[in-house]
Amino acid sequence: MAKGYRPVVRDQVFLFPPDMREWLPEDHAVWLVIRVVEEHLDTSAVHAGRKTGGAGAAGYDPVMLLTLLVWAYACGVTSSRRIEAACRADVAFRVICALDVPDHVTVARFRQEFPGLVPEMFTQVLVLCAKLGMGQVGTVALDGTKIAASASKGANRTEERLRKLAAERAAAHAAADAAEDELFGDARGDEVPPEAADPRTRDERIAAALADLEAERQAREAEENARARAHVEAAAAGTPVPGRRPAAAAAELARLRLDRESAAQQARIDAWEQRAAAGAGKKTGRRPVPPQDCARVKNAAADLEAALAGHAQREAAAGAPPRVRNITDPDSRLMPVRGGGFIQGYNAQNVVTEDGLVIATRLTNDTTDYRWYEPMITGAAAAAAMMAAHRPPGPDGEPEPGKIGLVLADAGYCSAHNLTCPGPDRLIATGKHRGLEKNARTAADGGQDGDGGEDRQEETAIAAMTARLATEDGITAYRQRSHIAETPHGHIKHNMGLRQLSLRGKRKAAAEWDFTVTVANLLKAITAGRLTAQALDRLAAPAS
């Protein structure tokens, strides 16, 4: 039973302890974040673009602003206005800014500098984690995740609509110019300072979206035509290119095959007639059928007809699914998401280590993953070697090796190139995970698929990977993929609350994503118990 109630005196002069270090316990994570940014990161880049000593009020310390954004993103607060509000209400935020609350405009302007700050910061945090003994690269996993852009799906426009909008805006500007000329003459009605003009107006975004669509179409057509021409020329020379033939070359290749089969059959007829004339009554066998009745010629003619029909269908459906661009963020794309539907956003690629560090990341606007396997693993290998150079020596006194042992990736990265390109050993799924498990059980039971084409399929890289994943060792190793690869994505989206980027344009959006991953790595070091005050003291102590 309580003796009474504690008094609630809201008009007391001071309620907090006079020393800000007593506002939060010593083991609070914000103290570690402050120490890391101030003592263990090279912050010269944040000072490079600033000038001091002039007239006017003093500016905010950029190191403090950087620390503030690190803690804000760690807490899932990305709105500049919410960050300003937190600096007034949240004790950890108040400690970071030392009660000198920056306004939301200052925070937003500082965040616009991410593209020049984040790359070095990402590397420095990886180096810090390596010094703390993190970054186990025996097994790494590559995975992509869709992240929403600061744009709405409703802002997408087709090329036809964009051209119409551009024409309407041009006409509106011309009408406004004529009206203002009539009203003001040579003088202007008002003067807007150049620094107040928005560098990304609606007109410029529309023009950028149109130009991007046009450039993409031209590049796509040029690439398709070049591949089709190479296949046709190689086939005509008698050295066909292996692999899948381009759709644009299907009709021409089918026509070449028909001509070749017809010529070959006619050559057989001519040879038979020559033997019959020279034999003078000797048996020369049955006369070959005319080319139009030959089975091979008929098959080639049927292929040509099918190729021409397919070409006609592609031509008819060329405009069916119109390509669109977003006039809010022209670099973002409609991204398919798991479970169905689309979001307006980007596709982030990440390589994650066994202990949960993202050692390579890149924000793309590709809706598919497969073309990013090789560049991501190349970047991850370089990061692993760099971290190995800073990791403390192992038990035998030698630095731990910095080579990736095994790469795990889902079926989105499956292609013959990704399975055979240089690099570390890899397990890339060739189908759904449940299918891989079923194949492994079937192989363990001695079952066979009975399709009769094993010898032919085993010659391909995909068939070889399928066979490897059907083994007990293969499926056991692949089971680690989801835990390694998807845990950081869940942490960023659920725990940190970042499901949508705040900055627009691929360059700035990529920098914001890199910053988010950097913060996630820092939090991982804290929650794993590697980043502690004692560990920072040891790193700061001079080498004896």
Side-chain angles (χ1 to χ4, degrees):
M1 181 180 296
K3 181 178 180 180
Y5 297 110
R6 297 171 182 258
V8 181
V9 185
R10 294 191 174 89
D11 56 354
Q12 184 171 332
V13 176
F14 205 86
L15 292 176
F16 279 116
D19 189 345
M20 292 183 67
R21 286 172 293 185
E22 299 180 19
W23 289 12
L24 292 170
E26 293 181 355
D27 59 352
H28 197 282
V30 73
W31 298 116
L32 296 175
V33 172
I34 292 174
R35 286 194 61 183
V36 167
V37 177
E38 292 185 351
E39 301 174 11
H40 296 272
L41 296 184
D42 182 4
T43 57
S44 58
V46 300
H47 295 284
R50 285 169 169 74
K51 297 180 180 179
T52 57
Y60 290 96
D61 187 345
V63 176
M64 180 274 290
L65 294 175
L66 180 60
T67 308
L68 182 63
L69 282 174
V70 170
W71 185 251
Y73 273 71
C75 298
V77 182
T78 57
S79 165
S80 57
R81 285 178 169 82
R82 288 182 59 202
I83 293 174
E84 179 185 355
C87 289
R88 302 182 187 279
D90 188 285
V91 174
F93 282 82
R94 298 185 75 182
V95 166
I96 292 174
C97 67
L99 297 181
D100 191 8
V101 179
D103 60 276
H104 64 274
V105 176
T106 300
V107 175
R109 287 176 177 171
F110 181 78
R111 184 161 50 182
Q112 295 292 325
E113 302 176 13
F114 270 179
L117 305 178
V118 175
E120 284 297 325
M121 183 177 176
F122 177 77
T123 302
Q124 291 173 29
V125 169
L126 286 183
V127 170
L128 175 62
C129 291
K131 292 179 179 179
L132 297 173
M134 301 182 69
Q136 300 174 14
V137 295
T139 301
V140 301
L142 169 62
D143 196 21
T145 185
K146 307 300 193 301
I147 187 77
S150 181
S152 168
K153 288 191 295 183
N156 282 310
R157 301 290 185 272
T158 64
E159 184 174 4
E160 180 182 357
R161 180 58 180 159
L162 285 172
R163 295 192 183 281
K164 185 177 180 181
L165 276 175
E168 290 174 353
R169 300 287 292 182
H173 291 323
D177 289 342
E180 290 175 358
D181 288 344
E182 183 177 354
L183 182 62
F184 301 113
D186 294 335
R188 291 181 58 182
D190 59 344
E191 296 291 333
V192 179
E195 61 271 14
D198 181 8
R200 288 193 64 81
T201 63
R202 181 179 175 84
D203 295 342
E204 292 172 344
R205 291 197 299 270
I206 292 173
L210 267 175
D212 192 32
L213 270 174
E214 182 67 24
E216 181 182 3
R217 184 177 62 251
Q218 292 179 356
R220 185 177 65 255
E221 291 177 352
E223 180 181 1
E224 291 176 353
N225 292 336
R227 291 181 61 239
R229 188 163 53 251
H231 273 70
V232 172
E233 292 175 353
T239 56
V241 178
R244 197 175 198 177
R245 66 184 183 184
E252 190 61 31
L253 290 174
R255 186 175 288 107
L256 286 175
R257 181 190 169 198
L258 177 59
D259 295 341
R260 186 170 59 251
E261 294 292 352
S262 298
Q265 186 63 15
Q266 185 60 48
R268 295 187 190 99
I269 296 174
D270 295 341
W272 183 90
E273 291 179 347
Q274 290 177 4
R275 288 197 304 272
K282 292 183 179 179
K283 294 183 178 181
T284 56
R286 181 180 297 178
R287 178 187 178 90
V289 298
Q292 62 270 22
D293 295 330
C294 177
R296 286 188 293 271
V297 176
K298 287 181 178 180
N299 291 337
D303 288 346
L304 175 59
E305 184 177 354
L308 291 174
H311 179 72
Q313 290 177 358
R314 287 192 300 273
E315 289 290 328
R323 294 180 176 269
V324 297
R325 284 295 179 270
N326 195 280
I327 60 176
T328 304
D329 184 356
D331 292 334
S332 64
R333 298 289 185 270
L334 281 172
M335 295 284 173
V337 293
R338 183 178 300 176
F342 293 83
I343 63 170
Q344 188 70 34
Y346 293 92
N347 186 6
Q349 301 289 319
N350 299 295
V351 180
V352 188
T353 65
E354 292 180 70
D355 50 354
L357 282 184
V358 180
I359 59 173
T361 185
R362 184 177 296 186
L363 193 75
T364 76
N365 53 13
D366 281 346
T367 57
T368 56
D369 296 330
Y370 69 93
R371 60 180 71 175
W372 290 101
Y373 176 85
E374 188 173 11
M376 291 304 301
I377 297 305
T378 300
M386 179 270 297
M387 294 179 69
H390 294 86
R391 189 175 293 115
D396 56 355
E398 295 294 331
E400 297 183 12
K403 289 186 177 181
I404 296 175
L406 177 66
V407 179
L408 305 175
D410 62 22
Y413 297 92
C414 185
S415 72
H417 174 76
N418 291 344
L419 291 170
T420 57
C421 66
D425 187 22
R426 69 211 69 177
L427 285 175
I428 302 179
T430 56
K432 296 288 187 181
H433 183 67
R434 58 180 178 270
L436 301 178
E437 296 275 0
K438 181 179 179 181
N439 291 339
R441 291 193 298 270
T442 303
D445 295 337
Q448 296 179 356
D449 55 12
D451 60 1
E454 291 84 2
D455 293 339
R456 183 176 62 257
Q457 293 176 357
E458 287 177 357
E459 295 177 358
T460 67
I462 294 178
M465 181 58 65
T466 303
R468 183 178 175 188
L469 286 169
T471 64
E472 183 177 353
D473 291 342
I475 198 63
T476 300
Y478 186 77
R479 282 175 182 158
Q480 304 176 75
R481 189 206 66 83
S482 60
H483 170 70
I484 296 175
E486 297 177 11
T487 298
H489 297 162
H491 173 67
I492 289 173
K493 291 184 176 181
H494 181 73
N495 297 337
M496 294 175 60
L498 189 119
R499 296 180 178 273
Q500 183 175 18
L501 300 171
S502 300
L503 303 183
R504 294 171 179 168
K506 186 179 177 183
R507 178 172 174 267
K508 292 182 178 180
E512 184 180 9
W513 174 256
D514 290 353
F515 182 79
T516 303
V517 172
T518 302
V519 174
N521 283 342
L522 198 58
L523 288 180
K524 184 63 181 179
I526 294 175
T527 56
R530 297 298 187 96
L531 181 56
T532 62
Q534 294 76 14
L536 293 179
D537 290 339
R538 288 195 300 270
L539 293 178
S544 57

